[in-house]
Amino acid sequence: MKKLLLALCIVMFCSASLSAHAQNITTSKVETTHVFNRVLPWFGQVQSSQAVSILARTNGLIVNIGSEDETPVQQGDTLFLLAGKDVEAKAMDLQQQYQQAQTEVTLAQKNLDLKQSLLAQGLTTHEQINMSKNNLALARAHRSSVKQAITSLHTGTKIMAPITGIFTARHVYIGQYTIAGTELARIVDTQHKRIKAALFPTSGATLKEMQIYIDGEPQAQQAHVTSILPETTQQGATQLWLQGPDIGKLPIGAKISGTMVQKHQGMAVPLSAIAHDDRGNTFVFVKTAQNWHKQAVETGLYDQQLVEVTKGLNGDEQLANSHAYELLYHDFSQHYQAPD
């Protein structure tokens, strides 16, 4: 009985209201090419675009550290010197190998000279000459490899900065014995920066075409998406790299946020033309010759007092721009049946 009374009240109220305002319903045309802003919030952290780990290339004792922690270094500056028994023993062994290789080259050269002299006298063959040349080439190659190992040892004991940046994250100290492959420190390039950002993109958003804004930095808008990472965060957010000239003034490590804005053209109707029923369905009312036609639509983006219609309209309709809910409930009163 209560439901029946409620339904009757709704019917009477809506019919009376609609009758009173029927002459006052305004109409509007569908705007077919309205430009909406698709806005996506993002959050991230400023990072160096280049950071290099400094590794020990040989076993040895650290006898000198050429830079103070957290200070600038230039490419080519000496960062670490290694020495110790292992280094000295290896250097001595390589030097002995080099002397032996040099002797092999001298003997191979003398043997070739002798063979060539004998060939001129007809006392040997071209095959013997070729064999002597091959032996000389092998001896020279051995000498070259030993010399390269000596150079590598000297390079390994004198570790220099591969890039310009800040000397940081030092893990070792003078007097410490280290082995090849150990990370000694890092150099962080503070002149070239980028942002590792994360966001939850909506369907249809083209991330590389969006304008980028940074919260609290109204001028820091000259940035762009350089790449999208294949891995998402634990929460499922898409990760990407942002770079641009205005990012350079932001401190490394700073946690920041902002928005990405993409221009999107679509069909728009006034928000006042939209009505939602209790099931979440969306409707507009199209002007016909005799009355109003209730039309189901699907909506997309919102822009102040306009809403995008993605499905349900052609674009040439005249819509009720007021009293949408009165029209909806008037239609409801025509179809509602009270329960027995």
Side-chain angles (χ1 to χ4, degrees):
M1 187 63 180
K2 289 182 178 180
K3 291 183 178 180
L4 178 59
L5 290 173
L6 177 60
L8 291 173
C9 288
I10 292 174
V11 171
M12 293 173 63
F13 172 79
C14 293
S15 298
S17 177
L18 180 63
S19 176
H21 297 287
Q23 302 299 322
N24 297 324
I25 296 177
T26 60
T27 61
S28 63
K29 293 181 179 180
V30 177
E31 187 176 342
T32 57
T33 57
H34 183 76
V35 177
F36 290 92
N37 289 324
R38 179 183 277 118
V39 180
L40 298 177
W42 59 265
F43 54 92
Q45 187 174 29
V46 181
Q47 299 184 8
S48 169
S49 59
Q50 186 176 21
V52 178
S53 295
I54 308 302
L55 304 180
R57 299 190 185 94
T58 186
N59 299 349
L61 192 72
I62 297 174
V63 296
N64 186 58
I65 298 175
S67 177
E68 296 291 332
D69 294 344
E70 318 307 328
T71 58
V73 294
Q74 298 296 316
Q75 183 178 7
D77 287 352
T78 300
L79 302 179
F80 297 96
L81 287 177
L82 275 65
K85 293 182 179 179
D86 285 351
V87 174
E88 293 173 3
K90 190 172 183 179
M92 185 177 296
D93 179 62
L94 287 173
Q95 193 62 41
Q96 290 175 351
Q97 290 184 43
Y98 183 78
Q99 293 297 334
Q100 182 180 352
Q102 182 63 43
T103 300
E104 292 173 357
V105 170
T106 300
L107 292 176
Q109 182 65 59
K110 288 182 178 179
N111 183 60
L112 176 61
D113 293 341
L114 176 61
K115 294 293 184 185
Q116 289 175 334
S117 176
L118 293 174
L119 180 65
Q121 302 174 39
L123 300 177
T124 189
T125 64
H126 287 287
E127 183 179 355
Q128 292 292 324
I129 293 292
N130 291 336
M131 185 177 297
S132 296
K133 288 181 177 179
N134 185 59
N135 290 336
L136 177 59
L138 290 175
R140 286 173 173 172
H142 181 214
R143 182 182 64 181
S144 178
S145 65
V146 175
K147 187 175 182 180
Q148 185 176 1
I150 293 173
T151 302
S152 178
L153 178 63
H154 289 316
T155 303
T157 57
K158 184 178 182 181
I159 302 174
M160 295 181 290
I163 63 171
T164 297
I166 301 297
F167 180 75
T168 186
R170 178 170 58 86
H171 304 299
V172 294
Y173 51 86
I174 293 177
Q176 179 177 342
Y177 181 83
T178 186
I179 60 176
T182 300
E183 182 174 316
L184 307 178
R186 297 178 73 234
I187 297 179
V188 176
D189 180 359
T190 58
Q191 300 303 312
H192 302 90
K193 305 173 187 178
R194 59 183 179 176
I195 297 174
K196 188 176 186 180
L199 76 164
F200 294 92
T202 58
S203 177
T206 306
L207 299 179
K208 288 194 174 183
E209 296 179 1
M210 288 190 163
Q211 291 180 311
I212 298 171
Y213 297 87
I214 300 174
D215 292 342
E217 298 288 341
Q219 302 303 317
Q221 300 171 8
Q222 295 184 32
H224 58 279
V225 177
T226 56
S227 59
I228 301 174
L229 280 66
E231 304 90 359
T232 61
T233 65
Q234 292 182 349
Q235 296 76 26
T238 297
Q239 298 187 99
L240 38 84
W241 289 114
L242 307 179
Q243 284 186 290
D246 290 324
I247 293 177
K249 62 186 179 183
L250 302 174
I252 290 178
K255 293 183 177 180
I256 57 176
S257 59
T259 55
M260 299 178 67
V261 180
Q262 182 183 37
K263 302 296 181 182
H264 169 72
Q265 185 171 290
M267 188 181 298
V269 302
L271 187 60
S272 57
I274 297 290
H276 303 278
D277 66 10
D278 57 357
R279 296 183 178 180
N281 299 312
T282 305
F283 300 96
V284 297
F285 290 88
V286 180
K287 180 68 174 177
T288 64
Q290 293 80 21
N291 209 331
W292 298 98
H293 167 66
K294 184 175 73 171
Q295 176 65 43
V297 295
E298 294 181 8
T299 59
L301 300 175
Y302 285 79
D303 183 4
Q304 296 180 350
Q305 296 303 312
L306 293 176
V307 59
E308 180 186 19
V309 174
T310 59
K311 187 175 181 180
L313 295 177
N314 295 322
D316 56 356
E317 295 89 347
Q318 286 277 350
L319 305 181
N321 192 25
S322 62
H323 303 86
Y325 278 96
E326 293 179 22
L327 287 167
L328 177 65
Y329 284 111
H330 174 71
D331 181 76
F332 160 81
S333 69
Q334 301 296 320
H335 297 90
Y336 181 82
Q337 292 183 359
D340 296 334

